[in-house]
Amino acid sequence: MEANEKTTMTCIICPMGCQLEVTKTSGSGAAAYAVTGNACKRGEEYACKELTNPERTLTCTVQVAGGVGPLVPAKSKTEVPRDMQLECMEVIKRLCVTAPVHAGDVLVEDILNTGADIIACDDMDAR
């Protein structure tokens, strides 16, 4: 974005879905943006982060060998850079863990050096 350029976005932090208007100011980082339309401070933080370093929680399923089912739901323990999500999914697609699996088990540590662990979200018993 250039200085004084405006963009609009919908905040996804809570169910209110505030319509944010973000104006680029001078400076760098979060201080380089003026945000209006947010009902709370979280909307301003979201807009600045979305424009400087967007991240998302990665949700997925992981193959299970010897389990009562073929897949266990999983997610990243912390957010992953948005531009690395497809690369992370390629790693997860090739992953197969052995049952039993318990909710909270770390299935992949520090996936692609993002600092995020992939953890199981449910239990999967062995056959």
Side-chain angles (χ1 to χ4, degrees):
M1 288 179 72
E2 300 289 327
N4 296 321
E5 186 177 344
K6 292 183 181 185
T7 188
T8 58
M9 62 178 63
T10 302
C11 181
I12 62 170
I13 299 301
C14 77
M16 288 182 60
C18 295
Q19 295 300 302
L20 308 176
E21 184 174 278
V22 185
T23 305
K24 174 80 165 123
T25 62
S26 59
S28 62
Y33 299 97
V35 180
T36 59
N38 51 304
C40 68
K41 183 77 173 160
R42 293 182 303 167
E44 181 178 350
E45 292 167 358
Y46 165 76
C48 293
K49 185 175 178 183
E50 189 66 13
L51 292 171
T52 58
N53 185 30
E55 296 179 316
R56 300 286 187 275
T57 299
L58 180 64
T59 58
C60 57
T61 55
V62 174
Q63 293 181 62
V64 179
V68 294
L71 302 168
V72 66
K75 69 174 192 146
S76 58
K77 190 172 185 179
T78 58
E79 293 181 326
V80 174
R82 189 177 69 191
D83 62 352
M84 291 189 70
Q85 294 225 333
L86 290 177
E87 291 175 72
C88 291
M89 288 304 298
E90 287 298 321
V91 171
I92 292 166
K93 185 168 57 173
R94 294 187 301 270
L95 180 65
C96 185
V97 297
T98 304
V101 176
H102 303 288
D105 284 356
V106 175
L107 307 178
V108 179
E109 286 187 28
D110 189 18
I111 190 163
L112 296 177
N113 300 314
T114 60
D117 294 339
I118 303 300
I119 59 170
C121 294
D122 202 358
D123 295 332
M124 176 67 67
D125 293 327
R127 281 185 255 181

